[in-house]
Amino acid sequence: MKRNKLFNELNRLSFLEKNKTVTSFLHIGNRLLEWYRNNARDLPFRQTKDPYKIWICEIVFQQTRINQGLNHYNNFIKRFPDVKTLAEAEENEVLLHWKGLGYYSRAINIHKAARQIMNDYQGIFPVEYEEILKLKGVGKYTAAAISSICFGGKIPAVDGNFYRVLSRLFADDFDISNAKAFAYFSELATLVMPDNVGDFNQAMMDLGSEICKPKNPLCGECPVHEDCLAFSLQKISAYPVKTKKVKAEDLSLTYYFVHRNGEFLIRQRKDDFIWKKLFEFPSFLPETMKTFITGSKIISHKLTHKNLSIEIFNVEVTSEKIWNDFITENQYLITNFEASHEKSFPKPLENYIQNSLKD
DNA sequence: AACTCGGGGGG
DNA sequence: CCCCCAGAGTT
Protein backbone atom coordinates (compact mmCIF):
# COMPACT_ATOMS: atom_id res chain seq x y z
CA MET A 1 0.00 0.00 0.00
CA LYS A 2 1.32 3.36 -1.00
CA ARG A 3 0.82 4.97 2.38
CA ASN A 4 2.69 2.29 4.31
CA LYS A 5 5.44 2.33 1.76
CA LEU A 6 5.92 6.03 2.31
CA PHE A 7 5.95 5.69 6.07
CA ASN A 8 8.43 2.83 5.88
CA GLU A 9 10.57 4.80 3.54
CA LEU A 10 10.67 7.55 6.08
CA ASN A 11 11.48 4.99 8.78
CA ARG A 12 8.95 6.52 11.04
CA LEU A 13 6.10 5.26 13.22
CA SER A 14 3.11 7.19 12.03
CA PHE A 15 -0.04 7.96 13.88
CA LEU A 16 -1.80 5.56 11.56
CA GLU A 17 0.48 2.67 12.43
CA LYS A 18 -0.13 3.24 16.10
CA ASN A 19 -3.86 3.21 15.48
CA LYS A 20 -4.45 0.46 12.99
CA THR A 21 -8.11 0.14 13.90
CA VAL A 22 -8.76 3.55 12.45
CA THR A 23 -9.04 3.26 8.72
CA SER A 24 -10.64 6.47 7.56
CA PHE A 25 -10.70 10.12 8.48
CA LEU A 26 -13.10 11.15 5.78
CA HIS A 27 -15.56 12.53 8.33
CA ILE A 28 -13.00 15.23 9.14
CA GLY A 29 -12.92 16.42 5.55
CA ASN A 30 -16.69 16.36 5.33
CA ARG A 31 -17.00 18.41 8.51
CA LEU A 32 -14.53 20.93 7.07
CA LEU A 33 -16.64 21.19 3.92
CA GLU A 34 -19.74 21.86 6.00
CA TRP A 35 -17.88 24.48 8.00
CA TYR A 36 -16.57 26.05 4.80
CA ARG A 37 -20.04 26.39 3.32
CA ASN A 38 -21.06 28.58 6.27
CA ASN A 39 -17.78 30.31 7.07
CA ALA A 40 -15.88 30.83 3.81
CA ARG A 41 -14.17 34.19 3.62
CA ASP A 42 -15.72 36.57 1.11
CA LEU A 43 -12.85 37.10 -1.32
CA PRO A 44 -12.95 38.50 -4.87
CA PHE A 45 -11.69 35.24 -6.40
CA ARG A 46 -14.20 33.03 -4.59
CA GLN A 47 -17.08 33.72 -6.99
CA THR A 48 -15.25 32.45 -10.05
CA LYS A 49 -13.77 29.33 -11.55
CA ASP A 50 -12.00 31.28 -14.27
CA PRO A 51 -8.60 29.57 -14.31
CA TYR A 52 -6.92 32.85 -15.24
CA LYS A 53 -8.17 34.59 -12.10
CA ILE A 54 -7.51 31.60 -9.87
CA TRP A 55 -4.00 31.35 -11.30
CA ILE A 56 -3.26 35.03 -10.67
CA CYS A 57 -4.62 34.89 -7.15
CA GLU A 58 -2.58 31.78 -6.35
CA ILE A 59 0.61 33.48 -7.52
CA VAL A 60 -0.14 36.74 -5.72
CA PHE A 61 -0.82 34.93 -2.46
CA GLN A 62 2.23 32.70 -2.48
CA GLN A 63 3.96 33.45 0.83
CA THR A 64 1.68 36.47 1.11
CA ARG A 65 -1.17 37.13 3.52
CA ILE A 66 -4.59 37.98 2.08
CA ASN A 67 -4.69 41.50 3.52
CA GLN A 68 -1.27 42.29 2.12
CA GLY A 69 -1.99 41.20 -1.46
CA LEU A 70 -5.67 42.00 -1.94
CA ASN A 71 -5.21 45.44 -3.52
CA HIS A 72 -2.45 44.12 -5.76
CA TYR A 73 -4.72 41.30 -6.92
CA ASN A 74 -7.64 43.63 -7.69
CA ASN A 75 -5.47 46.15 -9.52
CA PHE A 76 -3.76 43.38 -11.47
CA ILE A 77 -7.06 41.86 -12.65
CA LYS A 78 -8.40 45.29 -13.51
CA ARG A 79 -5.42 46.10 -15.75
CA PHE A 80 -4.88 42.55 -17.06
CA PRO A 81 -8.36 40.96 -17.16
CA ASP A 82 -7.33 37.99 -19.30
CA VAL A 83 -4.35 36.00 -20.54
CA LYS A 84 -4.16 37.80 -23.87
CA THR A 85 -4.01 41.24 -22.30
CA LEU A 86 -1.29 40.08 -19.92
CA ALA A 87 0.73 38.39 -22.64
CA GLU A 88 0.66 41.51 -24.82
CA ALA A 89 1.74 43.83 -22.01
CA GLU A 90 5.31 44.98 -21.39
CA GLU A 91 7.21 43.15 -18.68
CA ASN A 92 7.93 46.44 -16.91
CA GLU A 93 4.25 47.21 -16.60
CA VAL A 94 3.66 43.80 -15.02
CA LEU A 95 6.49 44.57 -12.59
CA LEU A 96 4.89 47.94 -11.88
CA HIS A 97 1.73 46.19 -10.73
CA TRP A 98 3.87 44.04 -8.44
CA LYS A 99 5.48 47.06 -6.80
CA GLY A 100 5.89 46.57 -3.07
CA LEU A 101 4.64 43.00 -3.06
CA GLY A 102 8.01 41.23 -2.92
CA TYR A 103 9.34 38.05 -4.56
CA TYR A 104 9.50 39.85 -7.88
CA SER A 105 10.37 36.77 -9.92
CA ARG A 106 6.67 35.96 -9.52
CA ALA A 107 5.83 38.95 -11.74
CA ILE A 108 8.45 38.00 -14.33
CA ASN A 109 7.28 34.39 -14.40
CA ILE A 110 3.60 35.28 -14.50
CA HIS A 111 4.28 37.31 -17.62
CA LYS A 112 6.31 34.51 -19.24
CA ALA A 113 3.57 32.01 -18.40
CA ALA A 114 0.94 34.20 -20.05
CA ARG A 115 2.97 34.10 -23.27
CA GLN A 116 3.40 30.34 -22.80
CA ILE A 117 -0.38 29.95 -22.70
CA MET A 118 -0.79 32.08 -25.83
CA ASN A 119 1.97 30.27 -27.75
CA ASP A 120 1.72 26.67 -26.52
CA TYR A 121 -1.99 26.39 -25.68
CA GLN A 122 -3.60 28.78 -28.19
CA GLY A 123 -4.65 31.08 -25.35
CA ILE A 124 -6.70 28.34 -23.68
CA PHE A 125 -5.68 27.68 -20.09
CA PRO A 126 -4.39 24.08 -19.82
CA VAL A 127 -6.74 21.71 -17.99
CA GLU A 128 -4.49 18.82 -17.02
CA TYR A 129 -2.41 19.04 -13.84
CA GLU A 130 0.78 18.00 -15.64
CA GLU A 131 0.27 20.72 -18.24
CA ILE A 132 -0.54 23.42 -15.66
CA LEU A 133 2.66 22.41 -13.90
CA LYS A 134 4.68 23.35 -16.99
CA LEU A 135 3.79 27.04 -16.65
CA LYS A 136 6.57 29.28 -15.36
CA GLY A 137 6.15 30.04 -11.68
CA VAL A 138 3.59 27.29 -11.19
CA GLY A 139 4.74 24.54 -8.84
CA LYS A 140 3.03 21.53 -7.33
CA TYR A 141 0.94 23.54 -4.88
CA THR A 142 -0.37 26.07 -7.41
CA ALA A 143 -1.02 23.44 -10.08
CA ALA A 144 -3.03 21.43 -7.56
CA ALA A 145 -5.00 24.49 -6.49
CA ILE A 146 -5.90 25.51 -10.05
CA SER A 147 -6.65 21.94 -11.08
CA SER A 148 -8.94 21.24 -8.12
CA ILE A 149 -10.73 24.59 -7.98
CA CYS A 150 -11.27 25.08 -11.70
CA PHE A 151 -11.29 21.62 -13.26
CA GLY A 152 -12.29 19.17 -10.55
CA GLY A 153 -8.81 17.71 -10.12
CA LYS A 154 -8.44 15.41 -7.12
CA ILE A 155 -5.12 16.70 -5.81
CA PRO A 156 -4.56 18.26 -2.38
CA ALA A 157 -3.03 21.75 -2.53
CA VAL A 158 -0.49 21.24 0.21
CA ASP A 159 0.83 24.48 1.63
CA GLY A 160 1.78 25.90 5.00
CA ASN A 161 -1.81 25.59 6.16
CA PHE A 162 -1.87 21.87 5.39
CA TYR A 163 1.37 21.33 7.29
CA ARG A 164 -0.01 23.09 10.35
CA VAL A 165 -3.56 21.69 10.34
CA LEU A 166 -2.60 18.10 9.57
CA SER A 167 0.35 17.97 11.96
CA ARG A 168 -1.98 19.14 14.73
CA LEU A 169 -4.89 16.89 13.78
CA PHE A 170 -2.64 13.83 14.02
CA ALA A 171 -0.18 15.21 16.58
CA ASP A 172 2.38 14.40 13.92
CA ASP A 173 5.93 15.51 14.57
CA PHE A 174 7.16 15.05 11.01
CA ASP A 175 9.61 17.91 10.43
CA ILE A 176 8.04 20.32 7.95
CA SER A 177 11.49 21.63 7.03
CA ASN A 178 12.35 18.12 5.79
CA ALA A 179 12.49 17.97 2.00
CA LYS A 180 10.03 15.08 2.06
CA ALA A 181 7.43 17.01 4.03
CA PHE A 182 5.46 17.85 0.91
CA ALA A 183 5.13 14.18 -0.10
CA TYR A 184 4.40 13.13 3.45
CA PHE A 185 1.63 15.64 4.13
CA SER A 186 0.19 15.11 0.66
CA GLU A 187 -0.27 11.48 1.61
CA LEU A 188 -1.75 12.44 4.96
CA ALA A 189 -4.12 14.85 3.23
CA THR A 190 -5.59 12.13 1.03
CA LEU A 191 -6.81 10.33 4.17
CA VAL A 192 -8.94 13.33 5.10
CA MET A 193 -9.83 14.55 1.63
CA PRO A 194 -13.46 14.24 0.48
CA ASP A 195 -14.61 14.11 -3.13
CA ASN A 196 -14.99 17.87 -3.50
CA VAL A 197 -11.28 18.59 -3.45
CA GLY A 198 -11.56 22.16 -4.71
CA ASP A 199 -13.67 23.24 -1.76
CA PHE A 200 -11.66 21.07 0.60
CA ASN A 201 -8.42 22.79 -0.41
CA GLN A 202 -9.96 26.20 0.13
CA ALA A 203 -11.53 25.08 3.41
CA MET A 204 -8.09 24.07 4.66
CA MET A 205 -6.74 27.50 3.72
CA ASP A 206 -9.52 29.32 5.54
CA LEU A 207 -9.28 27.06 8.58
CA GLY A 208 -5.53 27.57 8.69
CA SER A 209 -5.72 31.34 8.49
CA GLU A 210 -8.83 32.00 10.58
CA ILE A 211 -8.93 29.19 13.18
CA CYS A 212 -5.88 26.94 13.16
CA LYS A 213 -3.51 29.91 13.22
CA PRO A 214 0.23 29.57 13.86
CA LYS A 215 -0.11 31.25 17.25
CA ASN A 216 -3.12 31.42 19.56
CA PRO A 217 -5.36 29.17 17.45
CA LEU A 218 -9.10 29.40 18.17
CA CYS A 219 -9.58 25.73 18.98
CA GLY A 220 -12.91 26.41 20.68
CA GLU A 221 -14.34 27.52 17.34
CA CYS A 222 -12.68 24.77 15.31
CA PRO A 223 -15.16 22.46 13.55
CA VAL A 224 -12.82 19.49 13.96
CA HIS A 225 -11.33 20.04 17.40
CA GLU A 226 -12.97 16.85 18.66
CA ASP A 227 -10.93 14.94 16.10
CA CYS A 228 -7.72 16.86 16.81
CA LEU A 229 -5.17 14.75 18.65
CA ALA A 230 -2.91 17.69 19.50
CA PHE A 231 -5.90 19.48 21.00
CA SER A 232 -6.93 16.50 23.13
CA LEU A 233 -3.32 16.15 24.29
CA GLN A 234 -3.17 19.91 24.95
CA LYS A 235 -0.03 20.08 22.83
CA ILE A 236 -1.19 22.40 20.07
CA SER A 237 1.81 24.69 20.38
CA ALA A 238 4.14 21.76 19.74
CA TYR A 239 2.98 21.53 16.11
CA PRO A 240 4.05 21.78 13.44
CA VAL A 241 7.64 20.72 14.13
CA LYS A 242 10.18 22.79 12.21
CA THR A 243 13.88 22.39 12.94
CA LYS A 244 15.61 24.31 10.19
CA LYS A 245 16.25 27.95 10.93
CA VAL A 246 17.73 30.40 8.43
CA LYS A 247 19.80 33.22 9.79
CA ALA A 248 19.82 36.62 8.16
CA GLU A 249 23.14 38.00 6.99
CA ASP A 250 24.16 41.65 7.06
CA LEU A 251 24.48 43.47 3.75
CA SER A 252 25.46 47.08 3.06
CA LEU A 253 24.37 48.94 -0.07
CA THR A 254 25.36 52.38 -1.32
CA TYR A 255 23.24 54.55 -3.60
CA TYR A 256 23.61 58.03 -5.03
CA PHE A 257 20.45 60.05 -5.52
CA VAL A 258 21.80 62.06 -8.45
CA HIS A 259 19.43 64.88 -9.35
CA ARG A 260 19.27 68.18 -11.22
CA ASN A 261 16.27 70.47 -11.81
CA GLY A 262 13.81 67.97 -10.39
CA GLU A 263 15.10 65.06 -12.44
CA PHE A 264 17.05 62.10 -11.06
CA LEU A 265 18.91 59.10 -12.45
CA ILE A 266 17.92 55.46 -12.28
CA ARG A 267 18.78 52.13 -13.88
CA GLN A 268 17.20 48.69 -14.00
CA ARG A 269 18.58 45.79 -11.96
CA LYS A 270 19.40 42.38 -13.42
CA ASP A 271 17.12 39.38 -12.92
CA ASP A 272 19.43 37.74 -10.40
CA PHE A 273 20.02 38.42 -6.72
CA ILE A 274 17.48 40.61 -4.93
CA TRP A 275 14.84 42.95 -6.36
CA LYS A 276 14.87 41.33 -9.80
CA LYS A 277 14.51 43.87 -12.62
CA LEU A 278 13.42 46.64 -10.29
CA PHE A 279 14.75 50.17 -10.74
CA GLU A 280 17.36 51.69 -8.47
CA PHE A 281 19.70 54.67 -8.14
CA PRO A 282 23.32 54.64 -9.34
CA SER A 283 25.58 52.82 -6.90
CA PHE A 284 28.83 54.37 -8.13
CA LEU A 285 29.99 57.96 -8.36
CA PRO A 286 33.25 59.14 -10.00
CA GLU A 287 35.63 61.23 -7.92
CA THR A 288 34.94 64.31 -10.03
CA MET A 289 31.29 64.31 -8.94
CA LYS A 290 31.77 63.82 -5.23
CA THR A 291 31.96 67.57 -4.71
CA PHE A 292 28.20 67.62 -5.46
CA ILE A 293 27.36 65.46 -2.44
CA THR A 294 25.34 67.50 0.03
CA GLY A 295 24.61 64.83 2.59
CA SER A 296 23.60 61.22 3.14
CA LYS A 297 21.03 59.13 4.88
CA ILE A 298 21.20 55.57 6.22
CA ILE A 299 18.16 53.34 5.92
CA SER A 300 17.77 50.01 7.69
CA HIS A 301 15.66 47.48 5.83
CA LYS A 302 14.94 43.86 6.71
CA LEU A 303 14.49 41.11 4.18
CA THR A 304 13.78 37.53 5.13
CA HIS A 305 17.41 36.48 4.81
CA LYS A 306 19.17 39.81 4.93
CA ASN A 307 19.55 42.79 7.18
CA LEU A 308 20.19 45.67 4.82
CA SER A 309 21.93 48.90 5.68
CA ILE A 310 21.45 51.29 2.77
CA GLU A 311 23.38 54.54 2.62
CA ILE A 312 21.93 57.03 0.13
CA PHE A 313 24.01 60.07 -0.76
CA ASN A 314 22.21 63.17 -1.96
CA VAL A 315 23.98 64.44 -5.08
CA GLU A 316 22.77 67.74 -6.47
CA VAL A 317 24.54 68.30 -9.78
CA THR A 318 25.01 71.99 -10.64
CA SER A 319 26.99 71.50 -13.85
CA GLU A 320 25.00 70.63 -16.93
CA LYS A 321 28.04 69.23 -18.75
CA ILE A 322 29.00 66.90 -15.91
CA TRP A 323 25.36 65.84 -15.61
CA ASN A 324 25.12 65.01 -19.33
CA ASP A 325 28.50 63.25 -19.46
CA PHE A 326 27.64 61.11 -16.45
CA ILE A 327 24.36 60.00 -18.03
CA THR A 328 25.76 59.13 -21.45
CA GLU A 329 28.81 57.33 -20.09
CA ASN A 330 26.74 55.09 -17.84
CA GLN A 331 23.49 54.86 -19.80
CA TYR A 332 21.35 55.91 -16.89
CA LEU A 333 17.66 56.70 -17.32
CA ILE A 334 16.33 60.11 -16.41
CA THR A 335 13.08 60.37 -14.49
CA ASN A 336 11.29 62.75 -12.19
CA PHE A 337 8.98 62.35 -9.25
CA GLU A 338 5.83 62.06 -11.35
CA ALA A 339 7.29 59.68 -13.93
CA SER A 340 8.86 57.50 -11.26
CA HIS A 341 5.35 56.31 -10.37
CA GLU A 342 5.46 54.36 -13.62
CA LYS A 343 8.38 52.23 -12.48
CA SER A 344 8.79 49.65 -9.77
CA PHE A 345 11.35 50.45 -7.08
CA PRO A 346 12.46 48.41 -4.05
CA LYS A 347 10.47 49.41 -0.99
CA PRO A 348 13.20 51.42 0.76
CA LEU A 349 13.96 53.38 -2.44
CA GLU A 350 10.25 53.92 -3.04
CA ASN A 351 10.01 55.40 0.43
CA TYR A 352 13.10 57.55 -0.17
CA ILE A 353 11.60 59.01 -3.34
CA GLN A 354 8.36 59.78 -1.54
CA ASN A 355 10.21 61.56 1.26
CA SER A 356 12.42 63.50 -1.15
CA LEU A 357 9.37 65.39 -2.36
CA LYS A 358 8.69 66.83 1.07
CA ASP A 359 12.22 68.28 1.34
C1' DA B 1 18.66 18.47 -0.97
C1' DA B 2 19.85 23.03 0.31
C1' DC B 3 19.61 27.80 -0.72
C1' DT B 4 17.48 31.97 -2.22
C1' DC B 5 13.95 35.16 -3.23
C1' DG B 6 10.27 40.56 0.01
C1' DG B 7 7.52 42.68 2.67
C1' DG B 8 4.22 42.89 6.32
C1' DG B 9 2.14 41.59 10.57
C1' DG B 10 1.86 39.25 15.15
C1' DG B 11 3.49 37.85 19.65
C1' DC C 1 13.48 39.94 18.16
C1' DC C 2 11.68 35.84 15.91
C1' DC C 3 8.12 33.60 13.39
C1' DC C 4 4.99 32.97 9.60
C1' DC C 5 2.63 33.66 5.28
C1' DA C 6 -2.52 30.38 -0.79
C1' DG C 7 5.87 28.36 -2.77
C1' DA C 8 8.97 28.16 -6.78
C1' DG C 9 13.43 28.28 -9.16
C1' DT C 10 18.17 27.35 -9.07
C1' DT C 11 22.32 24.88 -7.84
Side-chain angles (χ1 to χ4, degrees):
Chain A
M1 183 172 230
K2 192 179 173 186
R3 179 212 318 160
N4 291 333
K5 183 187 170 195
L6 179 64
F7 286 143
N8 290 337
E9 212 172 272
L10 300 167
N11 190 24
R12 179 174 173 287
L13 188 60
S14 75
F15 170 77
L16 293 172
E17 288 170 328
K18 298 178 200 166
N19 302 271
K20 287 187 186 295
T21 56
V22 184
T23 56
S24 171
F25 299 91
L26 200 56
H27 63 286
I28 295 178
N30 285 324
R31 195 160 299 158
L32 283 175
L33 280 185
E34 183 187 349
W35 172 82
Y36 180 69
R37 279 193 287 273
N38 300 319
N39 298 278
R41 288 175 290 180
D42 182 22
L43 301 171
F45 41 85
R46 280 278 164 79
Q47 293 95 311
T48 181
K49 290 191 175 182
D50 177 357
Y52 174 75
K53 290 185 177 131
I54 299 299
W55 166 48
I56 299 300
C57 99
E58 291 302 339
I59 304 296
V60 166
F61 295 109
Q62 283 170 6
Q63 298 300 104
T64 304
R65 291 171 195 275
I66 295 298
N67 283 338
Q68 186 186 354
L70 214 42
N71 286 336
H72 283 88
Y73 170 79
N74 286 327
N75 293 335
F76 197 97
I77 292 296
K78 189 174 179 182
R79 170 60 186 90
F80 312 111
D82 49 54
V83 188
K84 186 168 183 290
T85 307
L86 179 58
E88 290 174 351
E90 296 288 333
E91 183 184 62
N92 278 339
E93 194 186 355
V94 181
L95 279 165
L96 177 61
H97 283 75
W98 219 263
K99 184 191 288 192
L101 198 51
Y103 284 171
Y104 298 96
S105 60
R106 290 184 294 175
I108 298 169
N109 285 331
I110 221 171
H111 185 236
K112 288 180 180 170
R115 296 191 168 179
Q116 255 181 293
I117 295 170
M118 294 307 293
N119 295 333
D120 301 347
Y121 302 96
Q122 294 76 46
I124 309 295
F125 205 98
V127 172
E128 298 302 322
Y129 171 84
E130 295 296 338
E131 296 301 314
I132 300 172
L133 198 51
K134 291 178 181 172
L135 300 175
K136 296 289 183 190
V138 174
K140 287 180 289 187
Y141 160 78
T142 302
I146 297 172
S147 168
S148 65
I149 294 171
C150 304
F151 306 118
K154 309 291 185 188
I155 310 159
V158 177
D159 66 343
N161 292 307
F162 273 65
Y163 289 168
R164 191 169 56 257
V165 172
L166 291 172
S167 67
R168 286 172 176 171
L169 269 177
F170 298 112
D172 194 319
D173 60 359
F174 193 97
D175 185 356
I176 67 168
S177 53
N178 185 309
K180 293 186 176 178
F182 184 87
Y184 180 79
F185 284 101
S186 296
E187 199 59 37
L188 214 46
T190 61
L191 306 177
V192 180
M193 192 169 75
D195 193 55
N196 187 343
V197 179
D199 283 350
F200 168 73
N201 283 335
Q202 297 182 85
M204 290 284 280
M205 298 176 205
D206 278 18
L207 188 80
S209 72
E210 303 294 291
I211 307 287
C212 198
K213 301 184 292 184
K215 291 178 181 174
N216 302 329
L218 309 178
C219 297
E221 302 174 30
C222 178
V224 293
H225 72 266
E226 290 182 2
D227 302 291
C228 181
L229 189 55
F231 176 70
S232 69
L233 295 172
Q234 297 188 320
K235 286 178 61 182
I236 284 286
S237 62
Y239 305 98
V241 172
K242 184 179 183 182
T243 61
K244 193 177 105 183
K245 335 259 184 203
V246 242
K247 56 178 184 293
E249 67 174 87
D250 296 330
L251 179 64
S252 296
L253 298 177
T254 301
Y255 285 122
Y256 298 93
F257 185 67
V258 184
H259 60 104
R260 171 177 171 79
N261 297 335
E263 295 180 322
F264 58 95
L265 305 184
I266 59 175
R267 63 177 182 179
Q268 190 164 23
R269 292 181 63 83
K270 309 294 185 188
D271 66 351
D272 61 352
F273 198 40
I274 59 175
W275 296 328
K276 293 178 178 57
K277 293 196 174 182
L278 266 53
F279 289 85
E280 63 181 0
F281 308 147
S283 53
F284 172 79
L285 200 67
E287 285 298 328
T288 57
M289 290 188 65
K290 294 199 172 174
T291 57
F292 297 126
I293 295 176
T294 63
S296 76
K297 179 177 183 178
I298 294 182
I299 300 171
S300 296
H301 187 75
K302 297 173 79 69
L303 303 183
T304 302
H305 302 292
K306 288 180 176 54
N307 297 321
L308 298 183
S309 176
I310 308 171
E311 182 165 23
I312 304 182
F313 288 90
N314 186 48
V315 184
E316 184 167 5
V317 183
T318 54
S319 160
E320 183 174 2
K321 173 174 168 46
I322 293 180
W323 166 263
N324 287 333
D325 289 349
F326 185 57
I327 293 167
T328 53
E329 284 169 18
N330 299 283
Q331 298 187 329
Y332 289 121
L333 301 176
I334 307 173
T335 187
N336 57 40
F337 182 79
E338 293 303 323
S340 69
H341 293 307
E342 302 304 313
K343 301 194 182 303
S344 185
F345 290 90
K347 198 64 183 181
L349 298 191
E350 176 77 13
N351 293 341
Y352 183 89
I353 294 170
Q354 298 298 326
N355 290 332
S356 73
L357 182 69
K358 302 170 187 170
D359 303 338

